[in-house]
Amino acid sequence: MKLDRRYKMTTLKRPEILAPAGTLEKLKVAIRYGADAVYIGGNAFGLRSRAGNFTYEEMEEAVAFAREYGAHIHVAANMVTHEGDAKGAGEFFRQLRDVGINAVIVSDPALIEICITEAPGLPVHLSTQSSATNFETLEFWKKEGLERVVLGREVSMEEVAVIRENTDIEIEAFIHGAMCISYSGRCTLSNHMSQRDANRGGCSQSCRWKYGLFDLPFGEEARSLTDTGEVSEPFSMSAVDMSMIEHIPDLIQNGVDSFKIEGRMKSIHYVSTVANVYKAAVDSYMEDPENYVCKQEWIDELWKVAQRELATGFYYQTPSEEEQLFGKRRKIPVFKFIGEVLAYDAETKIATIQQRNHFRLGDEVEFYGPGFKHFNQTLTEMWNEDDEAIEKAPNAMMIVKMPVEQPVEPGDMMRKKK
């Protein structure tokens, strides 16, 4: 679809790459692999109760690490509060401010008011949960004192252009990751199915469960529409994931200030790969916009960590049945994360690896690291911590030494085809 832009920035601004960080380890990985900022959860007021939410002590360490790289940290406090839920919010926000958090992401007006009045100096960003989909809404929140709005994931690229043309508040938009089947995440399916409140941090992702489909004629027994005697797949009520890697120019030229990657509960394999790819793409575009080309290797790289099929959400059209998850997968990821480099001896060309998944001699593996560096090799020799020769590495987190064909650095990753 050809985009009829109503707005085009005359001076291009490099967007921030904002990555998820469910744990301190993931935060450090995201920043090393190219994220300009990360968003995390605190010990209260967030929507990911099962993510590795940060203590204040961990936040202090995270802030110190981020400052070394010139990166920012945002804290998601985007729950919908019921009576009594906002207790302690003022102290929570003040502690975030004093620790050195750069911004807090909020959806509930009560929490926004508490943060602005009781923790002055802590910037507030509006969460996507608030469904900001027009410039009048952004102007309203700007007047309330907010510095940035995360757009609803239902906004089209044409609407992004109109919004940018009519307001100068910072715009943050999702560019990669899971899509919620409900409007901007405001869902009660989990409440009904598992008695876990999705908008207070307890979503059980009921939309991703597998369901049977039945015909219920009046006065007759239910008849399955999926159990036909043949091999069949049950239905879900879920969307495919988003990927905007092929549309970086549209996002930048239409004034998106922050590229948001979804996935605080995803692995370091996912975080490192996706941050690495989008940094490479954004850097390439900013260096030479006129001759920019989306590289196939970037697309292929994202598929190595994809959990579902990929599409562009609502940016260019209303999703059809092709952007919903049902039936058999049309494309299945084929790589798994198997190790992280702890050390490298340049003289012996021996790398020390911490195992994350099973591998053995004869496996063809891929090493990758920050700056989009990659190389493949076959494993021909391995030793354990006691320098004893081994044929396989079956034990979780075990230390393995191996010769590598090219230099590697601590923090580089290793993966292989499933």
Side-chain angles (χ1 to χ4, degrees):
M1 175 180 176
K2 181 178 176 60
L3 179 63
D4 178 24
R5 293 190 185 87
R6 302 188 193 183
Y7 175 83
K8 186 174 180 179
M9 295 188 69
T10 55
T11 302
L12 295 178
K13 176 184 175 183
R14 188 188 191 283
E16 168 190 85
I17 297 172
L18 177 60
T23 65
L24 189 57
E25 179 190 29
K26 293 175 188 177
L27 179 144
K28 293 179 178 179
V29 166
I31 292 173
R32 288 192 186 114
Y33 276 77
D36 303 296
V38 295
Y39 62 99
I40 67 175
N43 54 17
F45 307 109
L47 284 183
R48 290 292 182 269
S49 60
R50 290 176 293 155
N53 294 318
F54 285 56
T55 65
Y56 294 121
E57 291 74 19
E58 288 174 326
M59 287 184 190
E60 289 178 347
E61 183 177 344
V63 167
F65 180 86
R67 284 175 177 170
E68 291 180 19
Y69 288 82
H72 289 177
I73 298 179
H74 306 166
V75 172
N78 50 349
M79 73 178 292
V80 175
T81 59
H82 289 230
E83 292 300 334
D85 287 344
K87 184 178 180 180
E91 178 61 21
F92 175 75
F93 290 131
R94 284 192 294 273
Q95 287 191 277
L96 297 189
R97 178 196 62 191
D98 296 343
V99 162
I101 296 301
N102 298 99
V104 61
I105 307 166
V106 190
S107 65
D108 193 300
L111 291 180
I112 291 173
E113 183 70 14
I114 290 170
C115 186
I116 290 174
T117 57
E118 298 194 31
L122 177 61
V124 180
H125 296 173
L126 187 73
S127 169
T128 189
Q129 303 294 126
S130 292
S131 304
T133 56
N134 58 77
F135 74 83
E136 292 92 344
T137 296
L138 272 69
E139 280 290 289
F140 170 85
W141 288 113
K142 176 185 173 182
K143 291 174 183 177
E144 290 297 307
L146 276 63
E147 296 186 3
R148 178 185 293 185
V149 168
V150 187
L151 296 179
R153 277 177 256 195
E154 301 77 23
V155 172
S156 70
M157 190 63 71
E158 289 286 353
E159 290 172 323
V160 173
V162 174
I163 289 169
R164 179 75 292 165
E165 186 176 20
N166 288 278
T167 181
D168 60 359
I169 192 172
E170 289 186 3
I171 292 174
E172 184 176 307
F174 280 92
I175 53 94
H176 196 92
M179 294 283 287
C180 184
I181 200 69
S182 190
Y183 201 96
S184 288
R186 296 203 304 273
C187 177
T188 59
L189 189 62
S190 175
N191 301 55
H192 290 292
M193 302 296 289
S194 61
Q195 297 184 359
R196 287 167 50 178
D197 194 334
N199 289 293
R200 287 196 281 177
C203 182
S204 58
Q205 297 191 341
S206 303
C207 60
R208 299 200 188 279
W209 297 356
K210 299 298 185 180
Y211 294 89
L213 188 63
F214 294 87
D215 182 18
L216 299 174
F218 182 75
E220 300 179 26
E221 290 188 9
R223 179 171 58 89
S224 173
L225 300 178
T226 53
D227 185 9
T228 59
E230 302 176 357
V231 176
S232 62
E233 289 286 320
F235 284 81
S236 73
M237 293 178 276
S238 190
V240 303
D241 288 358
M242 175 190 287
S243 177
M244 289 293 287
I245 187 61
E246 298 183 65
H247 305 281
I248 298 297
D250 282 351
L251 292 163
I252 296 178
Q253 291 174 14
N254 285 296
V256 176
D257 297 285
S258 180
F259 286 6
K260 189 165 194 171
I261 299 165
E262 184 275 338
R264 276 201 290 135
M265 297 179 69
K266 301 284 181 67
S267 68
I268 63 172
H269 182 209
Y270 171 90
V271 171
S272 59
T273 299
V274 178
N276 218 7
V277 167
Y278 280 99
K279 175 176 170 51
V282 168
D283 285 350
S284 178
Y285 180 80
M286 296 306 296
E287 286 170 8
D288 190 1
E290 296 300 321
N291 297 300
Y292 172 82
V293 175
C294 178
K295 298 180 181 179
Q296 184 62 41
E297 63 183 359
W298 298 337
I299 300 171
D300 294 342
E301 189 79 358
L302 291 176
W303 274 109
K304 293 176 183 178
V305 294
Q307 294 184 330
R308 306 175 189 95
E309 296 163 64
L310 301 174
T312 57
F314 288 82
Y315 278 118
Y316 297 101
Q317 67 275 320
T318 299
S320 69
E321 70 278 6
E322 294 300 316
E323 286 77 45
Q324 310 304 314
L325 288 176
F326 63 90
K328 295 181 179 180
R329 282 188 178 184
R330 285 159 278 180
K331 189 166 184 176
I332 301 174
V334 294
F335 280 80
K336 68 177 179 180
F337 173 46
I338 59 173
E340 181 179 4
V341 176
L342 299 181
Y344 171 69
D345 188 318
E347 290 187 11
T348 62
K349 297 183 180 180
I350 299 294
T352 301
I353 309 293
Q354 185 179 66
Q355 187 260 34
R356 297 301 182 98
N357 266 303
H358 181 276
F359 57 88
R360 64 185 303 132
L361 295 182
D363 284 346
E364 182 178 344
V365 301
E366 177 187 7
F367 286 91
Y368 71 95
F372 211 74
K373 61 182 181 182
H374 296 75
F375 70 92
N376 296 326
Q377 75 170 62
T378 300
L379 300 183
T380 57
E381 294 180 274
M382 296 193 304
W383 306 272
N384 62 20
E385 280 187 284
D386 298 321
D387 294 324
E388 299 169 335
I390 56 175
E391 294 186 358
K392 57 185 178 180
N395 302 321
M397 307 299 280
M398 70 181 291
I399 303 301
V400 180
K401 299 176 184 178
M402 64 179 65
V404 289
E405 296 176 2
Q406 296 184 30
V408 292
E409 297 179 8
D412 287 358
M413 307 290 181
M414 186 171 75
R415 59 188 167 205
K416 71 171 185 177
K417 286 188 176 180
K418 295 181 181 179

